[in-house]
Amino acid sequence: MSTTPSPERPAADHTTPPGAVAADADLEYQANLRRATLSSSVGSALEYFDFAMYGLMTALVFDRLFFDQSDPAIALVAAFGIYGVGFAARPVGGLVFGLLGDRVGRRFVLVTTIVLMGGSSMLIGVLPTYESVGALAPVLLVILRLAQGFGAGAEQAGSTVLMAEYAPVKRRGFFAALPFVGIQAGTLLAGVAFSALSLLPEQQFLAWGWRIPFLASFVLILIALWIRAKLEETPTFVHLEKREQTASRPLRDIFTKALPGVVVGIGLRMAENGGSYLFQSVSLAFVTSAAIGLDRGSVAWGVTLGSLLGVFSVPLTGALSDKVGRVPVYRFGAVFMLLYSFPAWWMLSLGSTGLSIAVVAVGIGVAVNSMLGPQCAMLPELFGNRHRYLGVAMARELSAVLAGGLAGVLGASLMAWTDGNWIVLGLYMATLAAITTASTFLVPETRGRDLLRTEDAIRLSTTEQDSAYEAEAAVVPAEVGQAPSSQAPTSPARA
């Protein structure tokens, strides 16, 4: 019998008991899992702090600071147009960094994107306004918004893939959802910061107060870089490297093998992503319009409370998907939003501050986040190991353009064209929810899928239940840094 150590297992010398090797590997895995969770959470917090803050500022501030005020309605549409530009850059960033993530590893990309995304957000805080430099102001805003979107295009995909590949298989839904608590924390922080700054006299707020949150991104960048410098590569990518199976042409694989998964992934994201930005931005512009006239700072508390709910609902629905499956939980969130769409916008149209806060909070905390929780594990499970990063990035970021990017500019346009008709806005949200509901009937149940597989789940039977989940009884980690009882080693035939 050969004494050469297996590439999947830590090597042991003759003086080290096998149990000690297993214990050391388990401790190392637990440390890596904690670092991965913290790293992903901080990155998510930074991204969504910036995006939520940008959305709040777009709806209530940027139209006045960066555009000609001769026609306020056109200025609002233009402001949301630049808001959408960031989403247009996200698929490009997802493509470029997704290719790198599948070829050189997840860690390198996550370090690069945090600098690009956070740095561009910080520079927004020092931009001159339209009053100072005229038309150059929106041009500079567009450039930085493009850079922000380019970096964000791979940040969330990377965090999603990182945690799904590190998490123990039976609790993958819960662990993969934990970094997305960072989304809620970032959005919550943005809402609190905006509401606090809104207490300033309007002249001071417009002069310098709005700049503070963007400049504060510098602190989050430093924290994220410090954490990610210690992060190790994921076990599943190490598995590919050891077998020299990393994708040489992941983009070709996306179009020849993974396109069904990308299309279904886009459909799954329409209600979650589009609904999120409709509640975070368009609803605030709607209720603070001249026709309704609510106070901007008061209604922003709806975003804050919704994010606070999300701190609990995201990991809860992620954990629930480990018990009953990804698809049932996801479908519940989509149907809830479908049924909630028209009542929500009708209640927003009534002009009650308290009611508007509650509507936005429930929309974000329950409707949106009931889909986000299971999505964190579901999207990585849809794609094979060799092109997972790129597949998740394409599904996430193309949907971000079609849903989130259009939500602002189309929502503002619908408000302008219909004089703020709530029925049209409710129809728009219901359409997004209907698309996602239909998509849940096209996706296989992926709970417990072996992430070492190289084929996509979308091509397999809808009743597939991976043997790695069924036979999860191993005590010794299959690889250094891999969870005990996580993914079973994959045979050469399956790989």
Side-chain angles (χ1 to χ4, degrees):
M1 180 180 295
S2 172
T3 58
T4 303
S6 165
E8 290 89 7
R9 295 184 184 275
D13 58 38
H14 295 292
T15 63
T16 305
V21 174
D24 288 345
D26 187 34
L27 290 174
E28 181 182 355
Y29 164 74
Q30 294 294 338
N32 287 333
L33 180 61
R34 287 192 296 270
R35 281 194 290 265
T37 304
L38 188 58
S39 169
S40 301
S41 299
V42 172
S44 298
L46 174 59
E47 178 183 349
Y48 275 79
F49 173 79
D50 290 337
F51 266 70
M53 183 59 67
Y54 196 99
L56 290 167
M57 294 294 184
T58 297
L60 306 171
V61 177
F62 282 173
D63 58 323
R64 290 190 281 174
L65 292 176
F66 289 94
F67 300 94
D68 182 13
Q69 290 299 294
S70 58
D71 190 334
I74 296 299
L76 180 62
V77 172
F80 272 111
I82 294 182
Y83 182 64
V85 162
F87 288 93
R90 290 180 67 147
V92 181
L95 174 62
V96 172
F97 288 116
L99 290 169
L100 289 173
D102 283 323
R103 297 187 67 175
V104 303
R106 323 312 192 197
R107 179 181 176 274
F108 167 79
V109 172
L110 287 172
V111 171
T112 305
T113 55
I114 200 74
V115 174
L116 180 60
M117 184 180 64
S120 57
S121 299
M122 183 183 67
L123 290 175
I124 290 176
V126 298
L127 282 180
T129 63
Y130 187 89
E131 184 180 359
S132 301
V133 296
L136 180 61
V139 171
L140 294 174
L141 185 61
V142 167
I143 293 172
L144 291 179
R145 181 64 173 161
L146 284 170
Q148 186 188 53
F150 190 75
E155 172 65 31
Q156 271 305 305
S159 296
T160 300
V161 171
L162 182 79
M163 281 311 303
E165 291 183 343
Y166 258 116
V169 65
K170 268 196 169 182
R171 303 189 68 196
R172 186 185 293 149
F174 171 73
F175 275 99
L178 287 181
F180 285 73
V181 174
I183 292 177
Q184 314 309 317
T187 307
L188 176 63
L189 184 59
V192 170
F194 185 86
S195 297
L197 290 170
S198 296
L199 298 177
L200 289 171
E202 185 172 18
Q203 185 176 0
Q204 294 181 25
F205 178 72
L206 294 176
W208 54 267
W210 68 272
R211 299 181 184 274
I212 295 175
F214 293 103
L215 295 173
S217 297
F218 181 71
V219 177
L220 289 176
I221 296 172
L222 293 179
I223 295 173
L225 281 176
W226 179 72
I227 296 170
R228 291 185 178 183
K230 301 181 178 181
L231 187 64
E232 294 185 9
E233 192 52 80
T234 69
T236 54
F237 189 80
V238 170
H239 177 91
L240 288 178
E241 286 188 315
K242 286 179 178 179
R243 288 155 182 77
E244 298 182 350
Q245 290 180 328
T246 54
S248 58
R249 298 178 180 177
L251 185 59
R252 181 188 62 181
D253 290 349
I254 289 296
F255 287 102
T256 59
K257 300 176 183 178
L259 196 57
V262 173
V263 172
V264 172
I266 291 171
L268 290 171
R269 289 260 297 160
M270 294 300 284
E272 176 266 320
N273 191 254
S276 175
Y277 288 103
L278 281 171
F279 281 120
Q280 286 185 36
S281 299
V282 178
S283 67
L284 300 190
F286 177 70
V287 299
T288 57
S289 63
I292 299 178
L294 296 183
D295 176 68
R296 66 168 187 249
S298 299
V299 180
W301 280 104
V303 177
T304 304
L305 292 176
S307 301
L308 184 59
L309 284 174
V311 170
F312 303 97
S313 61
V314 170
L316 176 63
T317 52
L320 185 61
S321 75
D322 285 327
K323 302 296 183 183
V324 303
R326 318 286 186 226
V327 174
V329 180
Y330 210 112
R331 188 175 296 152
F332 165 80
V335 172
F336 183 92
M337 181 173 285
L338 179 63
L339 298 177
Y340 188 61
S341 297
F342 287 104
W345 287 96
W346 171 70
M347 287 186 284
L348 288 172
S349 73
L350 298 179
S352 167
T353 298
L355 187 59
S356 296
I357 291 173
V359 167
V360 173
V362 172
I364 295 173
V366 180
V368 170
N369 289 324
S370 293
M371 291 176 277
L372 182 59
Q375 180 194 112
C376 305
M378 191 178 195
L379 284 184
E381 289 169 339
L382 285 178
F383 297 98
N385 197 12
R386 298 183 68 189
H387 53 257
R388 179 171 297 123
Y389 199 130
L390 183 58
V392 173
M394 289 293 93
R396 284 188 59 85
E397 303 314 326
L398 289 174
S399 61
V401 175
L402 297 174
L406 284 179
V409 66
L410 184 55
S413 299
L414 290 173
M415 287 171 53
W417 296 337
T418 64
D419 293 326
N421 190 315
W422 67 267
I423 296 177
V424 176
L425 293 169
L427 180 62
Y428 178 31
M429 180 174 284
T431 301
L432 296 177
I435 293 172
T436 295
T437 301
S439 297
T440 63
F441 289 94
L442 301 176
V443 67
E445 178 54 64
T446 60
R447 176 179 59 131
R449 191 167 193 264
D450 185 351
L451 295 186
L452 296 180
R453 290 184 176 218
T454 56
E455 72 272 21
D456 290 350
I458 201 71
R459 293 182 178 275
L460 303 178
S461 167
T462 56
T463 60
E464 176 199 3
Q465 187 63 36
D466 199 277
S467 60
Y469 187 84
E470 298 281 352
E472 185 185 18
V475 176
V476 180
E479 295 193 21
V480 177
Q482 182 168 318
S485 303
S486 179
Q487 292 108 359
T490 302
S491 68
R494 285 180 60 193

